[in-house]
Amino acid sequence: MKYQLTPTEKKLVRIAWIVGLLVLSAIVVVELFMHHHAHFEKDGITIDTLPEFYPIYGFGASFVLVVFAKTLAIALKRKDTFYADD
Amino acid sequence: MQMTDFPPALVLLSGALLLPFLKGKLRWVVAFALPVLALADAWQIITEGADSYIPFLGMQLNPVHVHAPTPVFATVFAIMVAGGLLFSMNQKTEHELPAVCVYAGGALGVLFAGDLVTMFIFWEVMTLGSTVIIWSGRQADSEGSGLRYFGLHAVGGVLLLMGIVIVVQQRIASGDPDPLAFRHFESMVSLWSSFGWDSAGMWLVMLGMLVNAGAPPFSAWVPDAYPEGSSSGTVFLSAFTTKTAVFTLMVAFAGVEPLIYLGLWMALYGIVYAILENDMRRILAYSIINQVGFMLVGIGVGTKLAIDGASAHAFAHIIYKALLLMSAGSVLAATGKRKCTELGGLYRTMPITMWCGIIGALAISSFPLTSGFTTKSMIAQSVTEQAALLADAGLSHNHLIVTWFILEAASAGVFLHAGIKFPWFVFFQKDSGLRPPDPPWNMRAAMIGFAAICIFLGVFPGPLYQILPYQAEAAEYAKVVYGVGHVLIMLSLLLFSGLAFFVLLPMLKRTETITLDFDWIWRRFIPHFWRDVLLPLLQGLDRAQKAVLEWLPSSASDDGNLPAQVRRRLPGNWAVSVPVFVIVLMLLTYLVVYFWLLPA
């Protein structure tokens, strides 16, 4: 049977979503105006100074890692009794 | 004999001899006195800074020596033993406690080893102690995984010993006044790309150390063995083997470039495998490899700040990883379950375990105001600083640019696979119907204490920075660690990684599966090759032999002709054949080294 959240829990989940989205929005706004220094300026690499570079990089890296992991799993995933079945 | 002549390792090893004879409260009083005495002894030695020597088989061994990273590692090892003991007081198994003393004693012995022979002896002592801890785990596969762990580490030990023999021989040949010394292999920094005789010994020493560090292709032993310890045993296991390997690599191979690439591989490997994992303690085991990867990058970069970063990160990692495994261990002890598919919703009845788990998860993710932030970020900083230096000198440094971008991606990935995944699937996610209470007071106290350290080091990193190998560099870094840009970068990476987690949640839904790794070779391929190919072949030869020469002994692989009483006492085929295989391998290797490899 699916567990029904209590009214307090529903309220907490709602607050968590609102706080989470507010924090993310705040970062997006601050990143828009924040000027990060280039880590490899001498090499002419300035991509990390672009607005919103780090939020996009954090999201993108995680996205790529999950997609890569799921792709790898197609070949390497086995039931967790794989070795025990021997 | 002065206090400073007494290796701290012997304090814990003496305890291991004493504890089996003690019962009740006295056992715990003595147990808790051991890390305190060992730490006092260690710091006495560190303060005095004097070496001690003992004669052994015609050699002058140096069991008391302080390397640059010894203070920081010795301190955290002692804290770990004390915190782990507090957590393990409810443990029923009799063997675990003495085994922990042997294990931690071996680890401390390595930290103070001034020569390669002493280092090797304590290295092997550590293997023995940790194997017994795994065997004491009473999990479904404790026996088998302990055996595999022992076999693999024995092979690692052979590689290490072969390397030591060659290195010492080369040093003697070159007139080195202290051929046994455990010190930095300066020539390895330039010689690593040559695979000739000159670098063979160093390569073997490094490979032996890398086996213990959980580097590829040997990473699989970490998630195979560690989750098979008891709820408290795994806490200890997570602390010493990989971090002692980090210590030895730091002393011997700082600045050796391949370590950067291995470290990057480990950082990404740990994330990818942890994303796919269902067992909560295997998730955390994969994240050990991920975190050790960061440390290896620091060692590979090899600058003073990088070594500080790797040391500080090892300190922080031992504490937050132990905290995470204490949280997971509390869940395991209370529910008997390890799989994410069987857990969820425990926040209702295990709030302390949940909060401590969350603090550990934030610390491993390098969230600002936690220990991970003030330590791991040093490594990334060292990469950019070194790249700038090389750029100024007109030297190639593109590999460091790539390294920095991968490290930042891996930092985001840590939040994904450990920072959110562990607490989410264990404490929230769905209602598993389980309603276990928080664990007993001692386990709660250990978790709260370690959580406090995670936050303390995040807010006040000064005391940790003061015991790092290069304090001046650490003090400089302390001025910039909480710069606005620095904090914002980390928050952006982490929180948007968190967003990715929830956006991709349907893809991250857990299934009752594992992901194959290199250990498939020795867990599936070799046994099946033996069973389906070699054994029938040998049996066929045996029958042919019998037919031709009746007097030849019957099959050595078949114990059927042993008396029934003896046969009953023998464990399964693999339990016998693995140690026999390992011992034969070791003997053969010694022969090869002595009679062929060594120049006349």
Side-chain angles (χ1 to χ4, degrees):
Chain A
M1 190 181 74
K2 192 167 162 43
Y3 175 75
Q4 296 294 317
L5 293 178
T6 64
T8 318
E9 287 171 334
K10 278 183 183 164
K11 200 172 164 187
L12 282 172
V13 169
R14 199 162 53 243
I15 291 171
W17 270 109
I18 292 168
V19 170
L21 290 174
L22 278 177
V23 170
L24 290 176
S25 310
I27 286 177
V28 170
V29 172
V30 174
E31 277 282 332
L32 211 54
F33 300 105
M34 178 85 188
H35 178 73
H36 291 293
H37 77 276
H39 285 88
F40 304 99
E41 201 168 10
K42 289 170 185 166
D43 299 283
I45 295 171
T46 53
I47 188 174
D48 50 339
T49 61
L50 294 175
E52 311 297 342
F53 170 76
Y54 290 100
I56 293 169
Y57 196 63
F59 186 91
S62 303
F63 188 89
V64 169
L65 283 165
V66 170
V67 171
F68 179 76
K70 294 299 283 185
T71 311
L72 192 73
I74 295 170
L76 297 181
K77 197 165 79 170
R78 296 288 185 279
K79 274 190 74 66
D80 59 9
T81 52
F82 178 74
Y83 290 116
D85 288 342
D86 259 5
Chain B
M1 189 189 226
Q2 297 174 357
M3 182 75 170
T4 49
D5 292 332
F6 196 74
L10 296 188
V11 177
L12 289 172
L13 293 175
S14 320
L17 293 175
L18 193 60
L19 286 171
F21 302 101
L22 302 177
K23 297 281 173 208
K25 283 183 181 165
L26 183 61
R27 179 177 157 93
W28 288 105
V29 169
V30 171
F32 280 108
L34 294 172
V36 176
L37 286 174
L39 185 63
D41 184 22
W43 271 95
Q44 180 82 9
I45 292 166
I46 290 164
T47 314
E48 301 276 324
D51 283 24
S52 291
Y53 295 86
I54 52 164
F56 179 73
L57 298 176
M59 299 176 283
Q60 278 291 95
L61 299 190
N62 180 199
V64 178
H65 175 84
V66 179
H67 299 279
T70 300
V72 63
F73 279 83
T75 305
V76 72
F77 279 12
I79 294 172
M80 179 60 234
V81 175
L85 286 176
L86 182 60
F87 186 78
S88 70
M89 285 176 71
N90 318 82
Q91 201 51 253
K92 296 282 185 287
T93 169
E94 294 272 312
H95 310 107
E96 190 173 287
L97 188 54
V100 164
C101 291
V102 172
Y103 181 35
L108 266 180
V110 173
L111 301 187
F112 285 90
D115 66 274
L116 292 165
V117 176
T118 306
M119 188 268 281
F120 178 76
I121 291 170
F122 282 120
W123 189 267
E124 294 301 310
V125 167
M126 213 167 52
T127 299
L128 294 177
S130 48
T131 304
V132 176
I133 294 175
I134 297 166
W135 278 336
S136 308
R138 298 181 180 178
Q139 303 292 307
D141 195 25
S142 291
E143 196 180 324
S145 70
L147 209 55
R148 288 189 292 276
Y149 173 90
F150 180 74
L152 197 61
H153 285 261
V155 171
V158 169
L159 293 173
L160 183 60
L161 186 59
M162 279 168 64
I164 290 172
V165 169
I166 295 172
V167 164
V168 171
Q169 180 70 18
Q170 284 173 335
R171 285 178 177 174
I172 291 171
S174 67
D176 192 320
D178 191 6
L180 289 181
F182 175 34
R183 58 172 182 251
H184 190 246
F185 293 107
E186 290 294 339
S187 54
M188 189 63 175
V189 177
S190 55
L191 272 177
W192 69 264
S193 55
S194 77
F195 292 93
W197 170 249
D198 287 347
S199 61
M202 293 182 290
W203 264 113
L204 287 168
V205 170
M206 191 158 83
L207 282 174
M209 291 172 178
L210 285 170
V211 170
N212 274 25
F218 305 110
S219 314
W221 69 259
V222 182
D224 179 27
Y226 283 179
E228 299 305 320
S230 69
S231 55
S232 55
T234 302
V235 174
F236 290 108
L237 289 167
S238 74
F240 300 114
T241 305
T242 50
K243 259 59 75 187
T244 307
V246 164
F247 170 86
T248 53
L249 287 165
M250 196 179 281
V251 170
F253 297 109
V256 177
E257 201 178 303
L259 294 176
I260 297 178
Y261 310 124
L262 276 175
L264 291 176
W265 172 280
M266 289 166 73
L268 295 176
Y269 160 95
I271 296 169
V272 168
Y273 272 72
I275 285 172
L276 299 171
E277 186 53 53
N278 185 31
D279 182 318
M280 64 174 170
R281 296 208 298 175
R282 282 172 62 91
I283 292 173
L284 297 176
Y286 281 122
S287 81
I288 293 177
I289 300 169
N290 159 271
Q291 296 292 297
V292 170
F294 281 89
M295 294 170 214
L296 252 57
V297 170
I299 298 169
V301 172
T303 61
K304 288 181 177 177
L305 185 63
I307 295 300
D308 273 353
S311 312
H313 190 213
F315 188 110
H317 171 77
I318 287 173
I319 302 293
Y320 61 63
K321 181 56 68 180
L323 175 59
L324 283 163
L325 284 163
M326 284 177 185
S327 177
S330 299
V331 170
L332 175 66
T335 65
K337 296 185 188 305
R338 290 164 38 173
K339 296 178 186 175
C340 291
T341 42
E342 296 173 347
L343 294 165
L346 301 184
Y347 74 92
R348 295 179 181 86
T349 53
M350 301 185 84
I352 295 174
T353 309
M354 175 200 75
W355 279 112
C356 289
I358 287 176
I359 291 170
L362 291 175
I364 196 172
S365 310
S366 298
F367 216 84
L369 302 181
T370 65
S371 55
F373 182 77
T374 50
T375 57
K376 193 167 73 185
S377 56
M378 251 188 212
I379 298 172
Q381 177 83 4
S382 73
V383 172
T384 55
E385 286 187 6
Q386 179 69 354
L389 280 175
L390 292 176
D392 287 341
L395 296 169
S396 162
H397 58 283
N398 287 342
H399 66 291
L400 291 177
I401 299 174
V402 176
T403 297
W404 183 83
F405 277 99
I406 295 177
L407 281 185
E408 295 300 293
S411 295
V414 174
F415 196 46
L416 185 81
H417 85 273
I420 301 185
K421 182 176 173 174
F422 168 71
W424 173 258
F425 281 108
V426 174
F427 297 107
F428 302 100
Q429 172 201 186
K430 60 179 169 52
D431 182 24
S432 58
L434 299 165
R435 296 289 184 272
D438 264 321
W441 72 269
N442 59 303
M443 294 164 84
R444 295 199 305 269
M447 285 193 287
I448 292 169
F450 273 30
I453 296 175
C454 288
I455 293 172
F456 178 82
L457 293 178
V459 181
F460 305 107
L464 173 59
Y465 287 178
Q466 281 168 16
I467 57 170
L468 292 180
Y470 304 104
Q471 289 147 20
E473 281 71 15
E476 277 302 306
Y477 184 72
K479 294 174 188 166
V480 298
V481 64
Y482 273 111
V484 177
H486 193 194
V487 173
L488 189 62
I489 287 173
M490 196 45 85
L491 282 178
S492 298
L493 287 172
L494 296 182
L495 293 177
F496 279 84
S497 165
L499 179 65
F501 178 87
F502 287 105
V503 169
L504 300 171
L505 202 50
M507 289 177 79
L508 294 166
K509 196 170 157 33
R510 294 318 325 128
T511 51
E512 296 199 334
T513 52
I514 56 164
T515 312
L516 295 186
D517 202 337
F518 279 101
D519 62 344
W520 176 84
I521 294 170
W522 55 87
R523 295 185 71 179
R524 180 51 78 94
F525 176 75
I526 293 176
H528 279 223
F529 187 70
W530 166 253
R531 193 189 67 191
D532 300 333
V533 180
L534 279 182
L535 190 60
L537 197 68
L538 287 174
Q539 284 169 338
L541 285 174
D542 186 50
R543 279 194 290 274
Q545 273 184 332
K546 274 181 185 160
V548 180
L549 306 160
E550 283 184 7
W551 52 268
L552 274 181
S554 62
S555 165
S557 60
D558 180 9
D559 58 16
N561 52 1
L562 289 172
Q565 304 92 311
V566 177
R567 208 165 55 234
R568 271 202 301 276
R569 286 165 190 272
L570 286 173
N573 267 348
W574 272 94
V576 178
S577 56
V578 170
V580 167
F581 171 75
V582 167
I583 290 164
V584 169
L585 186 74
M586 288 169 86
L587 291 173
L588 282 175
T589 321
Y590 292 147
L591 287 175
V592 170
V593 170
Y594 277 108
F595 295 108
W596 181 60
L597 278 179
L598 290 184

